[in-house]
Amino acid sequence: MTIKGFIFDLDGVIVDTASHHFAAWQILAEDLGVPFDEKDNELLKGVSRVDSLEFILNKGGLVLDSQTKLRLMEKKNAHYLSLAGSIGVNDALPGIVEFIQELKSLGMQVALGSSSKNAHQILGQLELTDAFNAIVDGNRITLSKPDPEVFMLGARLMGLTPSECLVFEDAKAGVEAAIDGGFQVVGVGNEIELSDADAIIDDFEEMNWERMQNLLSNS
Ligand code: BG6
Ligand code: MG
């Protein structure tokens, strides 16, 4: 099936906010006395705020009431936003803006598929909101990755079927979501965590559609 549309995850694919989410969760976990390291964080990439909190509480064997959980999520988010506040137009990861521009110049459609409720805010800071034909963020979905809802909606908004779309993901949960939804998926980053993806790239530096197609057909 010919690819006509692309769905990009945000955190860790377009901008390095993954490290800010990690730092903010780590501080919260520390306050709660729950050990939380990079390995735990890999499992939380792409996972919604509430599911991430539940993971940390489970790990620590903690049971909290819903008011306290809301307060902790607000605290985490405030910390995340203060870390991400300095993100500006030059902080898109190398090559990503050029790659999206090339796809659009070839007549392809481009969507965002992120679990984050802050996606609009971050895209605005990057001045990339207008680069997308469709934006699906954490406010528009009920089920977080690894459920494919975010990508299914992205494809639908572009008027395409999953088999006509290619997803880019840095998270294991995101790769699983894409596969479950019937999408081809390129992992961005960790070869071991993302080994189920159709192809894996380190980043978008010097990436173009021809190179990407070669990677997919050789994998
Ligand atoms: C994902 C991130 O994109 O969004 C996760 O990979 C994050 O780390 C999730 O927890 C939810 O983000 P937010 O901004 O709604 O708390
Ligand atoms: Mg991500």
Side-chain angles (χ1 to χ4, degrees):
M1 180 67 76
T2 317
I3 300 292
K4 297 178 181 162
F6 298 80
I7 307 179
F8 290 84
D9 173 48
L10 175 69
D11 298 310
V13 169
I14 291 178
V15 59
D16 182 24
T17 36
S19 57
H20 299 326
H21 280 293
F22 175 45
W25 282 127
Q26 204 171 29
I27 285 176
L28 189 97
E30 209 167 283
D31 284 353
L32 293 169
V34 179
F36 182 75
D37 58 22
E38 290 216 33
K39 226 172 154 205
D40 297 314
N41 188 59
E42 273 311 314
L43 301 174
L44 294 192
K45 284 186 180 171
V47 172
S48 70
R49 200 179 303 170
V50 64
D51 290 349
S52 301
L53 177 65
E54 292 294 352
F55 173 93
I56 291 170
L57 296 180
N58 270 339
K59 192 166 185 230
L62 298 172
V63 179
L64 301 176
D65 61 76
S66 47
Q67 276 307 103
T68 311
K69 287 186 202 174
L70 276 179
R71 193 177 50 74
L72 291 177
M73 283 191 285
E74 273 165 23
K75 201 169 163 190
K76 183 268 171 180
N77 197 46
H79 192 196
Y80 167 71
L81 286 177
S82 77
L83 292 172
S86 61
I87 288 172
V89 68
N90 294 321
D91 290 318
L93 287 169
I96 186 80
V97 174
E98 293 79 359
F99 183 58
I100 290 175
Q101 275 166 354
E102 188 211 0
L103 296 175
K104 294 189 76 183
S105 74
L106 294 170
M108 310 280 200
Q109 294 201 69
V110 177
L112 188 87
S114 168
S115 305
S116 173
K117 293 186 171 177
N118 294 302
H120 269 280
Q121 163 78 31
I122 303 296
L123 276 187
Q125 287 175 222
L126 293 166
E127 295 182 16
L128 283 178
T129 310
D130 294 340
F132 293 90
N133 301 99
I135 295 176
V136 185
D137 68 2
N139 299 294
R140 295 189 77 171
I141 52 168
T142 49
L143 298 167
S144 165
K145 299 168 189 174
D147 188 279
E149 184 182 2
V150 65
F151 299 136
M152 301 304 272
L153 182 54
R156 187 146 57 80
L157 291 173
M158 293 192 287
L160 300 173
T161 62
S163 60
E164 292 174 318
C165 299
L166 181 62
V167 169
F168 293 98
E169 256 299 341
D170 71 317
K172 192 175 170 60
V175 167
E176 276 175 37
I179 293 170
D180 196 20
F183 295 83
Q184 280 193 78
V185 54
V186 173
V188 183
N190 192 314
E191 269 186 34
I192 297 163
E193 296 292 340
L194 308 176
S195 59
D196 290 337
D198 295 292
I200 299 178
I201 58 174
D202 287 335
D203 54 42
F204 288 90
E205 227 168 339
E206 292 178 27
M207 187 49 69
N208 58 46
W209 181 221
E210 197 183 331
R211 248 186 100 190
M212 185 65 71
Q213 283 174 293
N214 287 337
L215 281 177
L216 284 167
S217 59
N218 292 332
S219 61

